[in-house]
Amino acid sequence: MSTDKLPTRSENFSEWYNQVIQRAEMADYAPVRGCMVVRPYGWALWENIQQALDKRFKATGHVNAAFPLFIPMSFLEKEKQHVEGFSPELAVVTIGGGEKLEEPLVVRPTSETIIGYMYSKWIKSYRDLPVLINQWGNVVRWEMRTRLFLRTLEFYWQEGHTAHATAEEAVEETVRMLNVYTDFAVNEAAVPVIPGKKSETEKFAGAVDSYTIEAMMGDTRALQAGTSHFLGQNFARAFDIQYLDPNNSLQYCWTTSWGLSTRFIGAIIMTHGDDQGLILPPRLAPIQIVVVPIYKNDQEQSKVFAAIQQVENQLSAWRHKIDLRTEVTPGFKFNDWEMRGVPLRIEIGPKDVDNGVVTLARRHLPGKAGKSTLPIDQLSTRIGSILDEIQAALLERATRFRDDHIYDPKNYDELKEIVQNGWAFSWWCGSAECEAKVKEDTKATTRCMPLDQPEGNGSCVVCGKPARRKVYFARAY
RNA sequence: CGGGGCGUGGCGCAGUCCGGCUAGCGCGCUUGCAUGGGGUGCAAGAGGUCGGAGGUUCAAAUCCUCUCGCCCCGACCA
């Protein structure tokens, strides 16, 4: 691994992104184009994301299950929009056990169809509803252009699939899960997101309405970080998910689906990282605190190690690591752990021991700015609030960055300029033509219409016709 | 699918145009000594036969033919 400096974010953001991931050992390229290996450090982050989400899913009444990887090709074809949306990116198995298969099997790109099929078997009565199931798994989409974490042929995610008796209930569920994602993003990942509704052209293939949380990355491009879909009765009709209501009349269910993937790791990296490497939010960081001992002879070593013991005794409540490597210098370790984004570093050298303190270095404040000392016996009582402060500082900084790069263009020319380095928040008439024009002219797309809309109405920034809603235009990943 | 580029120790590259000694260099790796509060220094080592197949030649990383793979831009997709 090279010890050269990273490319800076301003000189080459995507190269910075690729290198940070590999140097921090989050992920590596697999032998198959477009596939990645999530390395232990990256997976540990994903596990923390999983826990934070799973806890919220359980708290809102959901249970986990596991559905198969293979889906009969015919299932995908049952919902028109769905098959049109996914056909180009399907991986299909045509041979099994050396024999050509009667019916090709699709490697799931998402599981609405097979879960819909099972729901039609399981749901008979209004008493069976709602069904609130989530699954953690992997899916495959044969993408043309791939990026580590952001878009790979195979990725890991969770997909929730629910069935309800009424449209109102299903819509409520869709929004509830959108709020769960928002809460997770803001409070666990310190990623400020804008929850909102997708336009017709941007919505999920087969959905009635799609909702999204949109995040602004460090280069101001937008990233769809999680989605929640109201599927209406589209899949219920395609898969005959019907129940008898209390009046003994047969009704179609109303279904939802919602997902958040390992792409969110990309969101964390591009939201918080700096030119030194990753910066991970304390609540999700695989290692929250790293301890680096400093000494230059046996006498100093024993003195420092005694203090380290004292430190470690106070750190048991946090995910921590004592870096005892002897083959690298303290300076190397500082850079190494900064690359990996560990939010808090504790340095202990002879001078600290003599003064009865440790030196703290906050990752998000580079160099001397982030350093301070703390009496060694105050660690256990102070560390918790220090990590909370770092968590809050990351959210605050990311929110300010985002808000500083959102503009309200006065006219179309201004919009075209804004989306080159920011987001435009504009009145929009809602027509696909205006969306297409913006995309054609600037590569920017509508990201979402936020749930809390400003009062009143205006005129479309593109065509000037009356507009009732404001939408974010941005270039997206 | 269109345009461009690249395959040489683990990684990054030079050498290829104009065939010719034991295929080099940097990083990483191993060992030793020194060093150790911001990417440590010196020394000694290990490790490739040049993407694959075929051909030309006394001689091929280098020339020719075929082939496989990857990357970038565009299209497409999210």
Side-chain angles (χ1 to χ4, degrees):
Chain A
M1 185 59 66
S2 167
T3 54
D4 293 345
K5 280 241 152 89
L6 275 176
T8 64
R9 291 182 307 156
S10 55
E11 71 191 23
N12 190 343
F13 195 81
S14 65
E15 190 54 29
W16 169 86
Y17 176 79
N18 287 333
Q19 287 201 23
V20 165
I21 288 171
Q22 290 181 81
R23 292 195 195 191
E25 299 182 341
M26 301 279 283
D28 202 354
Y29 292 104
V32 176
R33 176 196 76 85
C35 292
M36 71 170 171
V37 175
V38 181
R39 302 185 66 173
Y41 191 57
W43 194 257
L45 176 57
W46 180 238
E47 285 177 337
N48 290 339
I49 291 171
Q50 287 183 300
Q51 283 172 28
L53 283 171
D54 207 64
K55 193 177 72 185
R56 286 167 169 78
F57 298 158
K58 302 277 170 59
T60 44
H62 303 83
V63 290
N64 287 330
F67 292 84
L69 184 68
F70 296 127
I71 302 176
M73 183 59 124
S74 57
F75 279 27
L76 271 291
E77 290 159 359
K78 288 188 183 196
E79 214 289 328
K80 188 164 162 289
Q81 301 294 323
H82 196 60
V83 67
E84 280 177 12
F86 281 103
S87 281
E89 51 188 69
L90 294 180
V92 182
V93 179
T94 56
I95 297 174
E99 304 271 317
K100 186 167 187 294
L101 300 176
E102 291 257 320
E103 180 179 357
L105 298 176
V106 170
V107 180
R108 62 182 173 206
T110 178
S111 303
E112 277 76 7
T113 59
I114 193 159
I115 291 178
Y117 173 85
M118 297 311 297
Y119 280 6
S120 75
K121 291 175 65 171
W122 297 340
I123 297 168
K124 298 297 169 201
S125 155
Y126 72 94
R127 297 181 211 276
D128 297 327
L129 297 171
V131 174
L132 306 171
I133 294 179
N134 174 65
Q135 87 166 336
W136 289 95
N138 55 339
V139 290
V140 169
R141 299 178 184 179
W142 214 266
E143 304 286 357
M144 304 292 257
R145 300 288 295 278
T146 57
R147 299 286 309 279
L148 291 171
F149 289 118
L150 300 180
R151 184 176 293 104
T152 46
L153 296 200
E154 179 188 13
F155 58 91
Y156 301 87
W157 74 345
Q158 57 70 216
E159 47 179 327
H161 295 270
T162 69
H164 306 263
T166 67
E168 295 68 39
E169 254 185 60
V171 169
E172 195 181 306
E173 166 78 1
T174 307
V175 173
R176 177 184 302 117
M177 300 322 288
L178 184 73
N179 291 336
V180 162
Y181 287 151
T182 304
D183 176 55
F184 159 78
V186 172
N187 295 315
E188 301 284 351
V191 173
V193 293
I194 295 175
K197 195 170 173 178
K198 282 288 186 190
S199 73
E200 285 299 300
T201 47
E202 293 286 325
K203 77 181 188 189
F204 175 75
V208 171
D209 286 317
S210 283
Y211 295 83
T212 174
I213 51 172
E214 295 286 324
M216 185 187 285
M217 303 296 98
D219 61 352
T220 75
R221 287 175 72 179
L223 185 75
Q224 177 178 303
T227 49
S228 185
H229 311 292
F230 171 56
L231 303 174
Q233 293 182 316
N234 293 349
F235 285 88
R237 288 180 190 278
F239 288 91
D240 276 320
I241 313 174
Q242 289 180 292
Y243 69 97
L244 276 174
D245 71 13
N247 304 317
N248 202 35
S249 83
L250 206 52
Q251 306 284 350
Y252 283 107
C253 285
W254 300 81
T255 66
T256 82
S257 68
W258 27 276
L260 186 147
S261 75
T262 38
R263 174 183 252 201
F264 202 93
I265 291 175
I268 291 172
I269 294 169
M270 290 193 289
T271 297
H272 299 306
D274 67 10
D275 290 344
Q276 290 296 309
L278 293 178
I279 298 178
L280 298 179
R283 293 182 63 86
L284 295 177
I287 299 171
Q288 297 171 300
I289 304 160
V290 65
V291 181
V292 177
I294 298 156
Y295 52 86
K296 52 181 164 225
N297 53 47
D298 288 351
Q299 195 205 336
E300 286 185 359
Q301 176 176 350
S302 54
K303 184 159 102 178
V304 166
F305 277 18
I308 291 228
Q309 190 55 54
Q310 208 184 330
V311 168
E312 186 163 29
N313 291 341
Q314 299 180 73
L315 294 184
S316 57
W318 295 279
R319 299 184 289 271
H320 67 279
K321 181 171 181 73
I322 316 285
D323 188 351
L324 295 175
R325 286 178 292 176
T326 56
E327 68 275 18
V328 290
T329 61
F332 182 93
K333 293 177 183 177
F334 296 166
N335 285 283
D336 194 34
W337 292 111
E338 283 170 8
M339 183 69 73
R340 291 172 153 80
V342 175
L344 184 64
R345 179 173 75 237
I346 298 177
E347 305 169 9
I348 309 177
K351 290 180 228 162
D352 299 304
V353 177
D354 291 343
N355 296 327
V357 300
V358 296
T359 297
L360 302 180
R362 289 162 163 81
R363 172 63 184 87
H364 70 293
L365 300 171
K368 286 213 170 87
K371 292 212 185 189
S372 59
T373 57
L374 185 71
I376 194 165
D377 53 12
Q378 289 182 21
L379 272 173
S380 60
T381 52
R382 286 282 296 128
I383 288 287
S385 55
I386 290 171
L387 290 174
D388 288 346
E389 287 164 22
I390 294 171
Q391 180 85 24
L394 291 181
L395 178 61
E396 207 268 330
R397 184 160 80 177
T399 305
R400 185 160 10 94
F401 178 85
R402 181 195 68 185
D403 293 343
D404 284 350
H405 291 87
I406 295 177
Y407 307 90
D408 188 349
K410 298 284 169 282
N411 54 51
Y412 189 56
D413 282 340
E414 223 175 276
L415 178 141
K416 284 195 281 192
E417 176 134 3
I418 285 167
V419 297
Q420 298 314 313
N421 193 34
W423 294 10
F425 187 41
S426 307
W427 292 104
W428 171 51
C429 67
S431 79
E433 289 73 32
C434 290
E435 259 181 306
K437 179 169 167 56
V438 173
K439 189 174 181 182
E440 169 82 26
D441 291 347
T442 67
K443 289 186 173 172
T445 51
T446 62
R447 302 319 304 158
C448 72
M449 297 166 275
L451 296 187
D452 43 347
Q453 286 279 333
E455 295 293 316
N457 46 44
S459 54
C460 177
V461 71
V462 186
C463 68
K465 287 179 187 157
R468 286 173 309 168
R469 294 191 153 184
K470 290 190 90 170
V471 70
Y472 289 96
F473 286 99
R475 302 212 295 163
Y477 276 98

